[in-house]
Amino acid sequence: MSYQLNDKITGLKPYEPITGEYPIRLDANESFLQPSAIMRAKISMEIVDGGLNRYPDPLCKKACKAFADYYNIDAANVTAGNGSDELLMLLPMAFLKKNERMLVFEPDFSMYKFYSYLTENQVICMPKKKDLTIDLDAAAHLINEQNIKAVVFSNPCNPTSLGISRQQIIDFIKSVGDCLVIVDEAYMDFWDSYQSIVTIAAQFDNVICLRTMSKAIGMAGIRMGFAVANKTITQALRSVKSPYNCNSLSQTAAEIILSDKQYIDNCIDTIKQSRDYLYNKAIELFAYRPDVVIYPTCTNFIFILAPDAEGTYELLRENGVVVRLMGNYLRVTAGTQEENDRVLELLRQFL
Ligand SMILES: *Cc1c(COP(=O)(O)O)cnc(C)c1O
């Protein structure tokens, strides 16, 4: 008998972002800004100065401290991951046992479901309402009814771009008792810091708040994400992760960037302006089209329901602009002024 892959992994395909050369990439919600030449030089210098023959700090203390200082929280409640994706993979693996139930919503970030599936949890998937918001009361009811051990969702949401207020999140957390609530705040910097639970996550016994350097902070290439939770959860998370999950190059880069509050604040302001421009122009453009819906955005992208989204996607692509196609929806990341103007011009022609 020859070796056979098990049926859990046969047929899976590697995650493949759009490949090929496109002048305008608005498909991955990346930042269009990057650190100045001076900052990049500083990062390079400190990276080469570090002892690359030695293993990195397993607890990533300096970067966690810089992260904690930026958000005004206690570094003792922070765990660093190789992108928040690594943490998202670890959570079901460690905090749920085989066949225990994890609740996700549809549509939401697709990796939640996937990691849970790999870990052999039972994934319970609750569709969002017609307006693409979560029915939090129904979700709490289901969690309590079906003995669901963990729930995960993005806030603000990728892909819908909608946000759930902090008060609603707090009420929800309190209504699900012993279920672990994982709130992925990858896009929170683009909304409103008052809506974040990052400063209060550690006060609950059942909450993990995830953040990433990949979006507002513009460092998707270094793969750094953070989990914020109380001491018990933090201790568990640090114990289950692989010891040297964040390499020393990324730790150094993360510490330098996170210590530069002004740089991050400027990035966030600039991206929010770009997002507002893209959103307002798109709303104007489709004011006369009741069949096109543009959702209010709390993120760095806009989410559009359009008839013939697929055709529009293809036409944009033929013209060198890639966005994300999701069924009848298009997700368009805010880019530079020129990129925004180009995608708006093409949308005007095609829709
Ligand atoms: C982009 C994104 C992340 C970030 O993942 P990293 O692994 O930190 O790059 C996490 N959650 C959501 C919802 C995202 O859109």
Side-chain angles (χ1 to χ4, degrees):
M1 244 304 250
S2 62
Y3 178 73
Q4 298 286 321
L5 293 175
N6 72 49
D7 58 2
K8 187 169 74 178
I9 57 170
T10 6
L12 293 182
K13 298 211 178 61
Y15 181 78
E16 198 184 341
I18 295 157
T19 50
E21 283 300 305
Y22 295 97
I24 302 187
R25 295 282 309 257
L26 302 175
D27 59 309
N29 299 341
E30 293 147 331
S31 172
F32 57 90
L33 301 168
Q34 69 158 330
S36 66
I38 295 175
M39 282 171 87
R40 297 204 304 273
K42 183 172 179 207
I43 292 171
S44 323
M45 254 152 49
E46 299 215 7
I47 283 173
V48 239
D49 277 353
L52 297 182
N53 55 321
R54 302 293 178 190
Y55 281 109
D57 171 12
L59 290 182
C60 204
K61 286 187 284 294
K62 289 179 176 167
C64 285
K65 176 76 170 69
F67 171 86
D69 288 348
Y70 180 79
Y71 290 102
N72 269 315
I73 58 176
D74 182 351
N77 300 321
V78 179
T79 307
N82 195 312
S84 42
D85 255 287
E86 185 201 14
L87 300 166
L88 284 167
M89 185 173 207
L90 269 176
L91 291 173
M93 194 194 271
F95 288 77
L96 272 73
K97 295 198 284 186
K98 189 171 165 176
N99 290 325
E100 283 189 336
R101 295 188 176 131
M102 168 117 159
L103 179 64
V104 302
F105 302 94
E106 187 69 46
D108 204 341
F109 191 49
S110 58
M111 301 314 287
Y112 305 146
K113 240 202 293 206
F114 177 67
Y115 293 137
S116 226
Y117 159 83
L118 265 191
T119 312
E120 303 188 34
N121 302 134
Q122 267 190 62
V123 187
I124 311 279
C125 185
M126 180 173 180
K128 292 190 182 178
K129 293 189 282 187
K130 198 155 181 285
D131 64 2
L132 299 186
T133 62
I134 296 175
D135 186 338
L136 289 169
D137 290 335
H141 189 73
L142 193 72
I143 287 168
N144 295 322
E145 191 103 302
Q146 299 213 9
N147 192 26
I148 289 172
K149 297 293 182 191
V151 54
V152 58
F153 55 90
S154 52
N155 186 42
C157 173
N158 172 13
T160 68
S161 75
L162 303 173
I164 305 169
S165 77
R166 170 166 141 147
Q167 193 53 55
Q168 281 180 290
I169 299 275
I170 293 171
D171 293 343
F172 177 70
I173 292 167
K174 290 182 175 161
S175 69
V176 297
D178 60 353
C179 173
L180 179 66
V181 181
I182 304 159
V183 185
D184 180 355
E185 294 191 350
Y187 298 91
M188 187 54 86
D189 296 306
F190 301 118
W191 189 20
D192 180 346
S193 58
Y194 294 105
Q195 303 296 354
S196 174
I197 58 159
V198 74
T199 54
I200 52 168
Q203 293 168 19
F204 298 95
D205 65 4
N206 61 330
V207 172
I208 298 177
C209 175
L210 295 176
R211 306 290 293 231
T212 177
M213 290 188 72
S214 300
K215 306 287 157 60
I217 304 174
M219 299 293 285
I222 70 170
R223 314 301 306 124
M224 287 290 291
F226 298 92
V228 181
N230 68 30
K231 303 271 180 323
T232 310
I233 292 176
T234 298
Q235 169 81 359
L237 203 44
R238 290 176 179 177
S239 310
V240 295
K241 74 178 188 60
S242 74
Y244 304 113
N245 58 329
C246 299
N247 71 70
S248 48
L249 285 64
S250 295
Q251 292 196 28
T252 301
E255 186 201 355
I256 292 172
I257 298 295
L258 287 168
S259 305
D260 196 334
K261 179 169 165 41
Q262 181 153 25
Y263 172 70
I264 300 176
D265 291 349
N266 282 338
C267 285
I268 294 171
D269 281 349
T270 308
I271 298 168
K272 279 165 93 172
Q273 279 170 31
S274 157
R275 180 270 317 270
D276 290 344
Y277 177 83
L278 180 66
Y279 175 79
N280 290 327
K281 289 282 175 187
I283 290 278
E284 237 173 72
L285 202 54
F286 298 115
Y288 72 103
R289 289 279 302 265
D291 55 337
V292 175
V293 180
I294 301 167
Y295 291 82
T297 173
C298 304
T299 61
N300 66 335
F301 58 85
I302 60 172
F303 195 53
I304 309 172
L305 171 63
D308 197 22
E310 192 174 350
T312 308
Y313 168 82
E314 280 306 329
L315 287 163
L316 288 173
R317 206 169 58 83
E318 282 162 20
N319 282 272
V321 179
V322 277
V323 300
R324 184 75 188 266
L325 171 70
M326 308 172 107
N328 296 323
Y329 298 93
L330 296 170
R331 193 191 69 191
V332 183
T333 310
T336 62
Q337 177 82 44
E338 295 72 36
E339 290 172 334
N340 291 341
D341 284 334
R342 179 76 181 133
V343 77
L344 287 161
E345 172 58 22
L346 290 170
L347 284 173
R348 193 181 63 74
Q349 287 177 27
F350 299 142
L351 269 177

